[in-house]
Short mmCIF file of all heavy atoms in Angstrom, two decimals:
data_model
loop_
_atom_site.label_atom_id
_atom_site.label_comp_id
_atom_site.label_asym_id
_atom_site.label_seq_id
_atom_site.Cartn_x
_atom_site.Cartn_y
_atom_site.Cartn_z
N LEU A 153 10.28 -22.57 2.40
CA LEU A 153 9.08 -21.78 2.63
C LEU A 153 8.48 -21.27 1.33
O LEU A 153 7.28 -21.20 1.15
CB LEU A 153 9.41 -20.59 3.54
CG LEU A 153 9.72 -20.93 5.00
CD1 LEU A 153 10.30 -19.74 5.75
CD2 LEU A 153 8.47 -21.45 5.69
N ARG A 154 9.34 -20.89 0.38
CA ARG A 154 8.86 -20.45 -0.92
C ARG A 154 8.12 -21.60 -1.64
O ARG A 154 7.07 -21.37 -2.29
CB ARG A 154 10.02 -19.97 -1.78
CG ARG A 154 9.61 -19.30 -3.08
CD ARG A 154 10.77 -18.48 -3.63
NE ARG A 154 11.95 -19.29 -3.84
CZ ARG A 154 13.20 -18.86 -3.65
NH1 ARG A 154 13.41 -17.64 -3.25
NH2 ARG A 154 14.23 -19.66 -3.86
N GLY A 155 8.62 -22.79 -1.50
CA GLY A 155 7.94 -23.96 -2.07
C GLY A 155 6.62 -24.23 -1.43
O GLY A 155 5.61 -24.54 -2.10
N LYS A 156 6.53 -24.09 -0.10
CA LYS A 156 5.30 -24.26 0.62
C LYS A 156 4.25 -23.21 0.19
O LYS A 156 3.05 -23.53 0.05
CB LYS A 156 5.52 -24.19 2.12
CG LYS A 156 6.16 -25.44 2.73
CD LYS A 156 6.31 -25.28 4.22
CE LYS A 156 6.78 -26.57 4.88
NZ LYS A 156 5.73 -27.63 4.81
N GLU A 157 4.71 -21.98 -0.02
CA GLU A 157 3.79 -20.94 -0.42
C GLU A 157 3.26 -21.22 -1.83
O GLU A 157 2.07 -21.01 -2.10
CB GLU A 157 4.54 -19.60 -0.40
CG GLU A 157 3.77 -18.42 -1.00
CD GLU A 157 2.47 -18.07 -0.27
OE1 GLU A 157 2.15 -18.74 0.74
OE2 GLU A 157 1.81 -17.12 -0.71
N GLY A 158 4.12 -21.68 -2.71
CA GLY A 158 3.66 -22.02 -4.04
C GLY A 158 2.63 -23.11 -4.04
O GLY A 158 1.61 -23.04 -4.75
N ALA A 159 2.85 -24.13 -3.22
CA ALA A 159 1.90 -25.23 -3.12
C ALA A 159 0.59 -24.76 -2.52
O ALA A 159 -0.50 -25.19 -2.93
CB ALA A 159 2.50 -26.36 -2.28
N ARG A 160 0.68 -23.85 -1.55
CA ARG A 160 -0.54 -23.31 -0.93
C ARG A 160 -1.38 -22.57 -1.92
O ARG A 160 -2.62 -22.71 -1.95
CB ARG A 160 -0.17 -22.42 0.26
CG ARG A 160 -1.34 -21.83 1.03
CD ARG A 160 -0.86 -20.94 2.13
NE ARG A 160 -0.45 -19.64 1.65
CZ ARG A 160 -1.21 -18.54 1.62
NH1 ARG A 160 -2.49 -18.62 2.03
NH2 ARG A 160 -0.75 -17.41 1.16
N MET A 161 -0.77 -21.75 -2.75
CA MET A 161 -1.48 -20.96 -3.73
C MET A 161 -2.10 -21.82 -4.80
O MET A 161 -3.25 -21.61 -5.21
CB MET A 161 -0.57 -19.90 -4.34
CG MET A 161 -0.09 -18.87 -3.34
SD MET A 161 -1.40 -17.97 -2.50
CE MET A 161 -2.02 -17.00 -3.87
N ARG A 162 -1.37 -22.83 -5.30
CA ARG A 162 -1.92 -23.72 -6.29
C ARG A 162 -3.15 -24.47 -5.75
O ARG A 162 -4.18 -24.62 -6.43
CB ARG A 162 -0.88 -24.71 -6.76
CG ARG A 162 0.19 -24.11 -7.67
CD ARG A 162 1.07 -25.19 -8.29
NE ARG A 162 1.82 -25.93 -7.29
CZ ARG A 162 3.01 -25.56 -6.87
NH1 ARG A 162 3.60 -24.47 -7.33
NH2 ARG A 162 3.66 -26.30 -5.96
N SER A 163 -3.07 -24.89 -4.50
CA SER A 163 -4.17 -25.58 -3.85
C SER A 163 -5.36 -24.65 -3.69
O SER A 163 -6.52 -25.06 -3.88
CB SER A 163 -3.72 -26.11 -2.50
OG SER A 163 -4.79 -26.69 -1.80
N LEU A 164 -5.11 -23.38 -3.36
CA LEU A 164 -6.21 -22.41 -3.19
C LEU A 164 -6.95 -22.18 -4.49
O LEU A 164 -8.18 -22.16 -4.53
CB LEU A 164 -5.65 -21.10 -2.64
CG LEU A 164 -6.64 -19.96 -2.46
CD1 LEU A 164 -7.71 -20.33 -1.45
CD2 LEU A 164 -5.93 -18.68 -2.05
N TYR A 165 -6.19 -22.00 -5.60
CA TYR A 165 -6.83 -21.79 -6.89
C TYR A 165 -7.70 -23.01 -7.28
O TYR A 165 -8.81 -22.83 -7.79
CB TYR A 165 -5.78 -21.53 -7.97
CG TYR A 165 -5.24 -20.13 -7.95
CD1 TYR A 165 -3.87 -19.88 -7.73
CD2 TYR A 165 -6.06 -19.02 -8.20
CE1 TYR A 165 -3.37 -18.59 -7.74
CE2 TYR A 165 -5.55 -17.73 -8.22
CZ TYR A 165 -4.20 -17.52 -7.98
OH TYR A 165 -3.72 -16.25 -7.97
N ARG A 166 -7.17 -24.20 -7.07
CA ARG A 166 -7.93 -25.41 -7.41
C ARG A 166 -9.21 -25.52 -6.57
O ARG A 166 -10.30 -25.83 -7.05
CB ARG A 166 -7.06 -26.65 -7.24
CG ARG A 166 -5.96 -26.83 -8.27
CD ARG A 166 -5.40 -28.23 -8.22
NE ARG A 166 -4.83 -28.54 -6.91
CZ ARG A 166 -3.54 -28.38 -6.63
NH1 ARG A 166 -2.69 -27.92 -7.55
NH2 ARG A 166 -3.07 -28.70 -5.42
N LYS A 167 -9.07 -25.20 -5.29
CA LYS A 167 -10.20 -25.29 -4.36
C LYS A 167 -11.31 -24.31 -4.76
O LYS A 167 -12.50 -24.66 -4.81
CB LYS A 167 -9.72 -25.01 -2.95
CG LYS A 167 -10.82 -24.86 -1.90
CD LYS A 167 -10.25 -24.57 -0.54
CE LYS A 167 -11.33 -24.30 0.51
NZ LYS A 167 -12.05 -23.03 0.22
N LEU A 168 -10.93 -23.06 -5.03
CA LEU A 168 -11.92 -22.05 -5.37
C LEU A 168 -12.54 -22.33 -6.75
O LEU A 168 -13.73 -22.05 -6.95
CB LEU A 168 -11.29 -20.66 -5.34
CG LEU A 168 -10.84 -20.18 -3.95
CD1 LEU A 168 -10.04 -18.87 -4.09
CD2 LEU A 168 -12.06 -19.93 -3.07
N SER A 169 -11.76 -22.83 -7.67
CA SER A 169 -12.28 -23.18 -8.99
C SER A 169 -13.37 -24.24 -8.88
O SER A 169 -14.44 -24.14 -9.49
CB SER A 169 -11.16 -23.68 -9.88
OG SER A 169 -11.65 -24.11 -11.11
N LYS A 170 -13.15 -25.23 -8.01
CA LYS A 170 -14.14 -26.28 -7.80
C LYS A 170 -15.32 -25.77 -7.03
O LYS A 170 -16.49 -26.06 -7.36
CB LYS A 170 -13.49 -27.43 -7.06
CG LYS A 170 -14.42 -28.61 -6.81
CD LYS A 170 -13.67 -29.76 -6.12
CE LYS A 170 -14.59 -30.93 -5.88
NZ LYS A 170 -13.87 -32.04 -5.20
N GLU A 171 -15.08 -24.94 -5.98
CA GLU A 171 -16.15 -24.44 -5.12
C GLU A 171 -17.13 -23.56 -5.92
O GLU A 171 -18.36 -23.64 -5.73
CB GLU A 171 -15.54 -23.65 -3.98
CG GLU A 171 -16.55 -23.01 -3.02
CD GLU A 171 -15.92 -22.20 -1.92
OE1 GLU A 171 -14.69 -22.38 -1.69
OE2 GLU A 171 -16.61 -21.37 -1.31
N PHE A 172 -16.60 -22.69 -6.77
CA PHE A 172 -17.46 -21.75 -7.50
C PHE A 172 -17.79 -22.20 -8.95
O PHE A 172 -18.44 -21.48 -9.67
CB PHE A 172 -16.81 -20.36 -7.54
CG PHE A 172 -16.79 -19.69 -6.20
CD1 PHE A 172 -15.64 -19.69 -5.43
CD2 PHE A 172 -17.94 -19.08 -5.68
CE1 PHE A 172 -15.61 -19.04 -4.20
CE2 PHE A 172 -17.92 -18.43 -4.43
CZ PHE A 172 -16.75 -18.43 -3.70
N ASN A 173 -17.23 -23.36 -9.29
CA ASN A 173 -17.45 -23.90 -10.65
C ASN A 173 -16.99 -22.92 -11.72
O ASN A 173 -17.67 -22.65 -12.70
CB ASN A 173 -18.93 -24.26 -10.84
CG ASN A 173 -19.15 -25.13 -12.09
OD1 ASN A 173 -18.27 -25.86 -12.51
ND2 ASN A 173 -20.32 -24.99 -12.70
N VAL A 174 -15.82 -22.36 -11.50
CA VAL A 174 -15.21 -21.42 -12.44
C VAL A 174 -13.94 -22.04 -13.02
O VAL A 174 -13.03 -22.38 -12.23
CB VAL A 174 -14.85 -20.07 -11.75
CG1 VAL A 174 -14.06 -19.16 -12.68
CG2 VAL A 174 -16.11 -19.38 -11.25
N PRO A 175 -13.86 -22.21 -14.33
CA PRO A 175 -12.67 -22.79 -14.93
C PRO A 175 -11.40 -22.01 -14.59
O PRO A 175 -11.43 -20.78 -14.60
CB PRO A 175 -12.96 -22.79 -16.41
CG PRO A 175 -14.45 -22.68 -16.52
CD PRO A 175 -14.88 -21.88 -15.36
N TRP A 176 -10.32 -22.70 -14.32
CA TRP A 176 -9.08 -22.03 -14.00
C TRP A 176 -7.96 -22.68 -14.78
O TRP A 176 -7.61 -23.82 -14.59
CB TRP A 176 -8.79 -22.15 -12.51
CG TRP A 176 -7.46 -21.52 -12.11
CD1 TRP A 176 -6.34 -22.21 -11.72
CD2 TRP A 176 -7.09 -20.14 -12.15
NE1 TRP A 176 -5.33 -21.32 -11.46
CE2 TRP A 176 -5.76 -20.06 -11.72
CE3 TRP A 176 -7.79 -18.99 -12.50
CZ2 TRP A 176 -5.08 -18.86 -11.65
CZ3 TRP A 176 -7.11 -17.77 -12.43
CH2 TRP A 176 -5.79 -17.71 -12.00
N ASP A 177 -7.38 -21.89 -15.69
CA ASP A 177 -6.25 -22.34 -16.52
C ASP A 177 -4.99 -21.57 -16.23
O ASP A 177 -4.04 -21.55 -17.04
CB ASP A 177 -6.61 -22.18 -18.02
CG ASP A 177 -7.81 -23.02 -18.41
OD1 ASP A 177 -7.90 -24.16 -17.92
OD2 ASP A 177 -8.67 -22.54 -19.17
N GLY A 178 -4.95 -20.90 -15.10
CA GLY A 178 -3.76 -20.18 -14.72
C GLY A 178 -3.94 -18.67 -14.85
O GLY A 178 -4.93 -18.19 -15.38
N ARG A 179 -2.94 -17.97 -14.33
CA ARG A 179 -3.00 -16.50 -14.32
C ARG A 179 -2.51 -16.01 -15.67
O ARG A 179 -1.30 -15.86 -15.92
CB ARG A 179 -2.14 -15.99 -13.19
CG ARG A 179 -2.19 -14.45 -13.00
CD ARG A 179 -3.49 -14.03 -12.34
NE ARG A 179 -3.44 -12.61 -12.02
CZ ARG A 179 -4.09 -11.67 -12.72
NH1 ARG A 179 -4.79 -12.02 -13.80
NH2 ARG A 179 -4.00 -10.42 -12.36
N ASN A 180 -3.47 -15.69 -16.55
CA ASN A 180 -3.16 -15.21 -17.89
C ASN A 180 -3.86 -13.91 -18.14
O ASN A 180 -5.10 -13.84 -18.05
CB ASN A 180 -3.59 -16.24 -18.95
CG ASN A 180 -2.89 -17.58 -18.79
OD1 ASN A 180 -1.66 -17.64 -18.69
ND2 ASN A 180 -3.64 -18.66 -18.72
N TYR A 181 -3.10 -12.84 -18.45
CA TYR A 181 -3.70 -11.55 -18.69
C TYR A 181 -2.75 -10.67 -19.51
O TYR A 181 -1.55 -10.91 -19.55
CB TYR A 181 -4.04 -10.83 -17.38
CG TYR A 181 -2.83 -10.50 -16.53
CD1 TYR A 181 -2.29 -9.22 -16.55
CD2 TYR A 181 -2.26 -11.46 -15.74
CE1 TYR A 181 -1.18 -8.91 -15.79
CE2 TYR A 181 -1.12 -11.16 -14.93
CZ TYR A 181 -0.61 -9.89 -14.98
OH TYR A 181 0.48 -9.58 -14.22
N ASP A 182 -3.33 -9.68 -20.15
CA ASP A 182 -2.57 -8.72 -20.95
C ASP A 182 -2.82 -7.33 -20.34
O ASP A 182 -3.94 -6.84 -20.35
CB ASP A 182 -3.04 -8.77 -22.42
CG ASP A 182 -2.25 -7.81 -23.33
OD1 ASP A 182 -1.41 -7.03 -22.79
OD2 ASP A 182 -2.46 -7.84 -24.55
N VAL A 183 -1.78 -6.73 -19.82
CA VAL A 183 -1.94 -5.43 -19.17
C VAL A 183 -2.41 -4.35 -20.12
O VAL A 183 -2.96 -3.33 -19.69
CB VAL A 183 -0.63 -4.98 -18.48
CG1 VAL A 183 -0.23 -5.92 -17.35
CG2 VAL A 183 0.51 -4.88 -19.49
N ASP A 184 -2.22 -4.57 -21.42
CA ASP A 184 -2.67 -3.59 -22.41
C ASP A 184 -4.08 -3.86 -22.95
O ASP A 184 -4.61 -3.11 -23.73
CB ASP A 184 -1.69 -3.54 -23.57
CG ASP A 184 -0.32 -3.01 -23.16
OD1 ASP A 184 -0.29 -2.02 -22.39
OD2 ASP A 184 0.70 -3.59 -23.59
N ASN A 185 -4.65 -4.99 -22.54
CA ASN A 185 -5.98 -5.36 -23.02
C ASN A 185 -6.75 -6.06 -21.91
O ASN A 185 -6.82 -7.28 -21.85
CB ASN A 185 -5.89 -6.25 -24.26
CG ASN A 185 -7.23 -6.44 -24.93
OD1 ASN A 185 -8.27 -6.00 -24.45
ND2 ASN A 185 -7.23 -7.08 -26.09
N PHE A 186 -7.30 -5.27 -21.00
CA PHE A 186 -7.96 -5.80 -19.81
C PHE A 186 -9.12 -6.75 -20.20
O PHE A 186 -9.29 -7.81 -19.63
CB PHE A 186 -8.50 -4.65 -18.96
CG PHE A 186 -9.28 -5.10 -17.76
CD1 PHE A 186 -8.66 -5.51 -16.61
CD2 PHE A 186 -10.67 -5.04 -17.79
CE1 PHE A 186 -9.39 -5.90 -15.51
CE2 PHE A 186 -11.42 -5.43 -16.67
CZ PHE A 186 -10.77 -5.87 -15.54
N SER A 187 -9.95 -6.34 -21.17
CA SER A 187 -11.12 -7.10 -21.52
C SER A 187 -10.83 -8.43 -22.25
O SER A 187 -11.72 -9.26 -22.41
CB SER A 187 -12.04 -6.24 -22.44
OG SER A 187 -11.36 -5.87 -23.61
N ASP A 188 -9.57 -8.62 -22.64
CA ASP A 188 -9.25 -9.85 -23.33
C ASP A 188 -9.09 -11.04 -22.38
O ASP A 188 -9.13 -12.21 -22.82
CB ASP A 188 -7.91 -9.65 -24.11
CG ASP A 188 -7.62 -10.82 -25.01
OD1 ASP A 188 -8.48 -11.20 -25.81
OD2 ASP A 188 -6.46 -11.38 -24.94
N GLY A 189 -8.94 -10.78 -21.09
CA GLY A 189 -8.77 -11.87 -20.12
C GLY A 189 -10.12 -12.49 -19.74
O GLY A 189 -11.16 -11.94 -19.98
N SER A 190 -10.02 -13.69 -19.16
CA SER A 190 -11.21 -14.35 -18.66
C SER A 190 -11.79 -13.54 -17.53
O SER A 190 -11.09 -12.74 -16.89
CB SER A 190 -10.86 -15.76 -18.17
OG SER A 190 -10.01 -15.71 -17.06
N PRO A 191 -13.08 -13.72 -17.20
CA PRO A 191 -13.65 -12.95 -16.11
C PRO A 191 -12.92 -13.05 -14.79
O PRO A 191 -12.70 -12.02 -14.11
CB PRO A 191 -15.10 -13.53 -15.99
CG PRO A 191 -15.40 -14.01 -17.36
CD PRO A 191 -14.09 -14.53 -17.90
N VAL A 192 -12.47 -14.23 -14.43
CA VAL A 192 -11.77 -14.39 -13.16
C VAL A 192 -10.41 -13.68 -13.24
O VAL A 192 -9.96 -13.08 -12.26
CB VAL A 192 -11.60 -15.85 -12.77
CG1 VAL A 192 -10.69 -16.61 -13.72
CG2 VAL A 192 -11.09 -16.01 -11.34
N ASN A 193 -9.75 -13.69 -14.39
CA ASN A 193 -8.47 -12.99 -14.52
C ASN A 193 -8.66 -11.49 -14.51
O ASN A 193 -7.83 -10.76 -13.98
CB ASN A 193 -7.75 -13.44 -15.79
CG ASN A 193 -6.83 -14.62 -15.56
OD1 ASN A 193 -5.81 -14.52 -14.92
ND2 ASN A 193 -7.22 -15.80 -16.09
N GLN A 194 -9.78 -11.01 -15.08
CA GLN A 194 -10.07 -9.59 -15.02
C GLN A 194 -10.30 -9.16 -13.57
O GLN A 194 -9.80 -8.12 -13.15
CB GLN A 194 -11.36 -9.30 -15.84
CG GLN A 194 -11.16 -9.39 -17.34
CD GLN A 194 -12.44 -9.04 -18.08
OE1 GLN A 194 -13.25 -8.24 -17.62
NE2 GLN A 194 -12.62 -9.64 -19.26
N ALA A 195 -11.03 -9.95 -12.83
CA ALA A 195 -11.31 -9.63 -11.42
C ALA A 195 -10.00 -9.64 -10.62
O ALA A 195 -9.78 -8.78 -9.75
CB ALA A 195 -12.30 -10.61 -10.83
N LEU A 196 -9.13 -10.61 -10.89
CA LEU A 196 -7.85 -10.67 -10.18
C LEU A 196 -6.98 -9.45 -10.49
O LEU A 196 -6.37 -8.87 -9.59
CB LEU A 196 -7.10 -11.93 -10.57
CG LEU A 196 -7.64 -13.27 -10.01
CD1 LEU A 196 -7.01 -14.45 -10.70
CD2 LEU A 196 -7.42 -13.34 -8.51
N SER A 197 -6.98 -8.99 -11.75
CA SER A 197 -6.18 -7.84 -12.14
C SER A 197 -6.70 -6.59 -11.45
O SER A 197 -5.91 -5.79 -10.90
CB SER A 197 -6.23 -7.64 -13.65
OG SER A 197 -5.59 -8.72 -14.33
N ALA A 198 -8.04 -6.40 -11.46
CA ALA A 198 -8.61 -5.21 -10.84
C ALA A 198 -8.40 -5.26 -9.33
O ALA A 198 -8.09 -4.24 -8.68
CB ALA A 198 -10.11 -5.14 -11.16
#
Side-chain angles (χ1 to χ4, degrees):
L153 290 170
R154 188 163 56 216
K156 284 182 173 291
E157 171 64 359
R160 183 181 76 95
M161 296 302 290
R162 287 190 296 271
S163 176
L164 177 62
Y165 281 119
R166 289 194 299 266
K167 172 181 175 294
L168 293 171
S169 175
K170 182 177 180 180
E171 178 182 343
F172 290 100
N173 194 27
V174 172
W176 176 250
D177 297 321
R179 185 76 172 102
N180 299 309
Y181 65 98
D182 182 353
V183 295
D184 294 317
N185 191 354
F186 176 80
S187 60
D188 189 52
S190 65
V192 67
N193 270 289
Q194 289 182 30
L196 287 168
S197 294

